[in-house]
């Protein structure tokens, strides 16, 4: 397994399942902007505040050598979901907040419907994720469980390639 410095290529964004019963509804997707560029569009509906009382669970599955997903390749769980997302995504958080027209850059984010007409994915590169990572295709599932872990409050899936810096 090879690893090193990398760049990411976001290939898909979609809800884990129907968001109808979720209190944090992520109805986002990628839209082709140009021959080579995509943007993140859609809406986010928060029926409850997105704040530090929530937990964040990131579970990354890696595309297997014969196809299919190998679950739990990388798992990260933390409390204080809002602050941790802001810290992990750093400058991307600012673009995300502006793109979805949240009322405030800081936590908590108030309940409401937030709509993006398009966030340029070419700008979504400056994060606090590890600077060295294993190359390959990943399915990253971001889940926000309730504090007692009984209810799934929200969930979104990102499919991305982790590429060598010179690859396209």
């Amino acid at each position: 397994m090879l690893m090193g410095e990398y760049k990411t290529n976001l290939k898909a964004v979609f809800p884990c399942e129907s968001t109808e019963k979720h209190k944090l509804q992520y109805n986002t997707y990628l839209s082709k902007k140009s021959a080579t560029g995509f943007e993140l569009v859609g809406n986010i509906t928060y029926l409850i505040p997105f704040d530090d009382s929530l937990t964040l669970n990131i579970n990354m599955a890696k595309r297997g050598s014969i196809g299919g997903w190998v679950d739990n390749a990388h798992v990260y769980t933390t409390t204080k979901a809002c602050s941790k997302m802001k810290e992990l995504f750093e400058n991307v958080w600012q673009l995300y907040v502006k793109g979805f027209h949240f009322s405030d850059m800081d936590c908590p984010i108030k309940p409401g419907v937030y709509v993006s007409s398009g966030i340029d994915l070419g700008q979504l590169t400056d994060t606090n994720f590890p600077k060295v990572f294993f190359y390959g295709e990943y399915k990253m599932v971001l889940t926000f469980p309730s504090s007692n872990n009984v209810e799934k409050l929200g969930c979104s899936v990102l499919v991305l390639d982790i590429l060598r810096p010179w690859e396209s």
Side-chain angles (χ1 to χ4, degrees):
M1 211 179 247
L2 296 173
M3 68 183 286
E5 291 183 16
Y6 64 92
K7 68 178 184 177
T8 58
N9 178 29
L10 194 56
K11 298 169 72 172
V13 176
F14 53 90
C16 297
E17 62 223 5
S18 170
T19 63
E20 183 178 344
K21 295 182 181 176
H22 290 172
K23 293 179 180 164
L24 304 171
Q25 300 173 357
Y26 295 91
N27 299 301
T28 57
Y29 58 95
L30 298 183
S31 176
K32 194 162 184 124
K33 176 178 126 171
S34 66
T36 58
F38 290 88
E39 56 189 8
L40 181 65
V41 296
N43 69 74
I44 297 171
T45 302
Y46 289 152
L47 302 176
I48 60 173
F50 184 74
D51 60 20
D52 284 345
S53 70
L54 303 173
T55 299
L56 166 64
N57 182 344
I58 300 174
N59 190 319
M60 294 177 70
K62 186 168 184 349
R63 175 74 73 183
S65 59
I66 58 170
W69 294 106
V70 179
D71 290 328
N72 302 318
H74 303 281
V75 177
Y76 177 77
T77 301
T78 186
T79 57
K80 300 184 178 181
C82 188
S83 293
K84 195 51 86 168
M85 290 274 292
K86 184 178 174 184
E87 178 185 324
L88 279 173
F89 286 95
E90 195 173 24
N91 290 335
V92 170
W93 175 263
Q94 294 174 20
L95 294 169
Y96 187 74
V97 167
K98 288 178 185 173
F100 278 98
H101 309 287
F102 293 141
S103 56
D104 195 358
M105 192 72 69
D106 293 317
C107 299
I109 300 192
K110 298 174 186 156
V113 177
Y114 303 97
V115 180
S116 171
S117 55
I119 300 172
D120 182 5
L121 294 181
Q123 298 179 10
L124 303 181
T125 57
D126 194 8
T127 68
N128 277 326
F129 281 90
K131 302 303 180 208
V132 173
F133 207 78
F134 295 97
Y135 302 122
E137 183 179 9
Y138 291 90
K139 179 173 65 172
M140 178 187 290
V141 180
L142 289 89
T143 307
F144 301 96
S146 61
S147 58
N148 58 8
N149 226 8
V150 173
E151 181 183 10
K152 188 187 293 184
L153 300 174
C155 187
S156 187
V157 177
L158 291 78
V159 178
L160 61 135
D161 286 327
I162 305 289
L163 303 168
R164 292 165 185 86
W166 58 87
E167 291 181 315
S168 57

